[in-house]
Amino acid sequence: YGWALKRGSVTANPFQGVPAPGREISRDHVLTDADLGAIWRATDKEGAPYGPLVRLLMLTLARREEVAAMTWGEVAEDLTTWTQPAERTKNGKVHLVHLSESARELLRALVGDEDRPASEELVFKHPLGGRLTAFSAAKVRLDAASGVTGWRFHDFRRTGVTALARLGTPPHVADRLLNHLTGTIHGVAAVYQRHDFAEERKAALD
């Protein structure tokens, strides 16, 4: 409700002033390289649509719901970029995501020899049509196939920027890659620093 209030989607937050039901615990789980490899291989057994979707989560570090709602119209004709519309990003800002060769190969495989789908069509859709929703069931199958448990789809984002830091990617580039407008560059500096680090983000995801 707080998020919706900031976006102007609702006029009031009915939970304003209600105490939290318990202490919030920050997630700090980072998957190992071996864990990532096992989950990646498990997506082969899972197959479409959940298998490729999980791989794209790994390759872009995007949020699960952002990828699940991705349409072909948001993907560049040459498959090099994905433009997330403002109405679907957490901070309400348009976000350009670079698609590495691995991501482009994944998207090409989804189309195969067919013509590119209509712009409004979902990239990952239920076999019977519509948005994917049964993520919990897919997660159970991936756990069984990979032997890796105790993780969440959101952990790919934390794991990804942790690995990028190990590879020398500056934290302010990782912040922009995750579409975090507050982070390493904040306060007065954020008011003046408007560079989007597009080339650095591209290099990081490659």
Side-chain angles (χ1 to χ4, degrees):
Y1 270 98
W3 175 73
L5 188 63
K6 290 176 184 177
R7 291 169 58 90
S9 301
V10 296
T11 57
N13 181 352
F15 296 100
Q16 185 71 39
V18 177
R23 185 171 62 89
E24 184 176 356
I25 299 174
S26 176
R27 290 276 299 176
D28 59 2
H29 184 61
V30 174
L31 293 155
T32 66
D33 292 348
D35 289 341
L36 286 173
I39 296 169
W40 180 277
R41 290 187 294 274
T43 61
D44 264 340
K45 295 181 180 179
E46 174 64 26
Y50 291 100
L53 183 148
V54 171
R55 287 191 172 189
L56 200 66
L57 289 178
M58 291 182 175
L59 293 168
T60 62
L61 306 187
R63 295 177 176 87
R64 187 191 73 184
E65 294 305 319
E66 291 168 348
V67 174
M70 180 184 191
T71 66
W72 285 104
E74 297 166 5
V75 180
E77 287 292 329
D78 60 1
L79 305 181
T80 56
T81 58
W82 164 32
T83 303
Q84 296 178 357
E87 58 269 22
R88 280 220 327 276
T89 60
K90 191 172 182 179
N91 60 18
K93 303 289 185 181
V94 173
H95 183 53
L96 187 69
V97 180
H98 168 68
L99 298 173
S100 64
E101 177 54 36
S102 296
R104 296 195 293 272
E105 183 180 339
L106 183 154
L107 293 174
R108 283 193 290 264
L110 289 176
V111 178
D113 296 328
E114 300 176 8
D115 293 334
R116 183 184 171 104
S119 61
E120 68 276 6
E121 190 169 331
L122 291 166
V123 174
F124 304 101
K125 59 183 179 181
H126 193 278
L128 299 179
R131 287 273 300 271
L132 296 176
T133 56
F135 291 104
S136 296
K139 170 68 165 53
V140 169
R141 294 191 297 270
L142 288 171
D143 283 358
S146 67
V148 183
T149 59
W151 60 278
R152 300 178 184 178
F153 293 116
H154 201 77
D155 292 342
F156 293 144
R157 287 166 63 81
R158 185 182 307 104
T159 299
V161 295
T162 300
L164 287 173
R166 187 175 70 214
L167 295 171
T169 300
H172 57 273
V173 174
D175 285 339
R176 288 302 175 96
L177 195 154
L178 295 178
N179 200 18
H180 288 169
L181 296 186
T182 58
T184 307
I185 300 175
H186 58 276
V188 175
V191 174
Y192 293 97
Q193 172 54 275
R194 297 298 182 182
H195 184 54
D196 62 4
F197 301 101
E199 286 302 312
E200 293 86 347
R201 285 156 45 196
K202 177 179 182 295
L205 287 177
D206 278 337

